[in-house]
Amino acid sequence: GPQGPNDQPSSGVDNNMGGFPLLSQAIGGTQTYNAAILEFDFVPYADTVRFKYVFGSDEYPEFAPPNNTTYNDVFGFFISGPGIPGLQNIAKIPGSGAVISINSVNNGPANVGPCTNCSYYVNNGNGSNAPYNSSSNYLQYDGYTKVLEAVSQVQCGQTYHLRIAIADVADEIFDSGIFLQANSLS
């Protein structure tokens, strides 16, 4: 799990669960594993819905491009409802439209670059260096994003469906996680 300190270079558990086709599609069809999905309906009382979140992973930095682009753990907020064609993933890198994944936001291998959307990346050690490995103030994950926001236009008083999903990509190990800011659904 994500509980700190970050004292293991490669933390993860294979829970032997399947992937999620929407996440596989979001990253070009690569197989996903160990998907965790939370879905619910909601009725907005305004014309916009938004969540604040952070994506973290123990795939960082070893499996960030250009070292390896295969292990590309991925996350998505999929919304559907009136005025939204099909399902829309509203978890995107600001300004780029890229999905939230290891390949789309990182600081390059071993934090030396080249990086991808690195202004949104936060280094959290490598599992063996201080202060990350000795304080519970740090997550187990080697890296995570800055706080990002998923936003969608909606119609007040109508019913919408939201799927929050995260999955391992191309393997079943090295965990990733998503953190939702308390009371940020607005």
Side-chain angles (χ1 to χ4, degrees):
Q3 299 82 9
N6 183 7
D7 57 2
Q8 298 175 34
S10 302
S11 177
V13 174
D14 179 3
N15 65 15
N16 295 310
M17 299 301 292
F20 188 52
L22 289 175
L23 290 174
S24 294
Q25 290 170 3
I27 55 166
T30 305
Q31 178 68 43
T32 56
Y33 300 91
N34 297 327
I37 304 161
L38 173 65
E39 59 183 304
F40 55 89
D41 290 332
F42 67 96
V43 177
Y45 293 100
D47 64 358
T48 306
V49 64
R50 60 185 72 234
F51 283 87
K52 290 187 178 177
Y53 64 94
V54 169
F55 169 80
S57 182
D58 227 33
E59 299 279 4
Y60 289 123
E62 301 89 346
F63 298 102
N67 273 1
N68 189 320
T69 59
T70 303
Y71 306 114
N72 185 26
D73 292 4
V74 63
F75 166 72
F77 271 116
F78 298 94
I79 190 170
S80 61
I84 298 173
L87 285 169
Q88 298 292 314
N89 182 1
I90 59 173
K92 303 280 181 132
I93 301 295
S96 78
V99 298
I100 306 299
S101 71
I102 301 298
N103 288 352
S104 67
V105 59
N106 57 68
N107 205 28
N111 303 312
V112 296
C115 65
T116 308
N117 294 305
C118 50
S119 63
Y120 298 108
Y121 179 79
V122 177
N123 176 43
N124 195 50
N126 61 15
S128 59
N129 60 330
Y132 312 102
N133 68 346
S134 59
S135 172
S136 61
N137 291 332
Y138 297 95
L139 299 172
Q140 179 61 58
Y141 301 139
D142 291 349
Y144 52 91
T145 67
K146 291 183 178 176
V147 176
L148 299 172
E149 189 170 50
V151 179
S152 179
Q153 296 297 309
V154 292
Q155 297 173 14
C156 182
Q158 299 296 313
T159 300
Y160 289 83
H161 190 75
L162 188 66
R163 290 181 185 153
I164 303 169
I166 188 169
D168 287 331
V169 175
D171 71 351
E172 301 90 356
I173 55 176
F174 300 167
D175 287 343
S176 293
I178 196 72
F179 302 90
L180 303 176
Q181 182 175 321
N183 302 313
S184 72
L185 171 59
S186 63

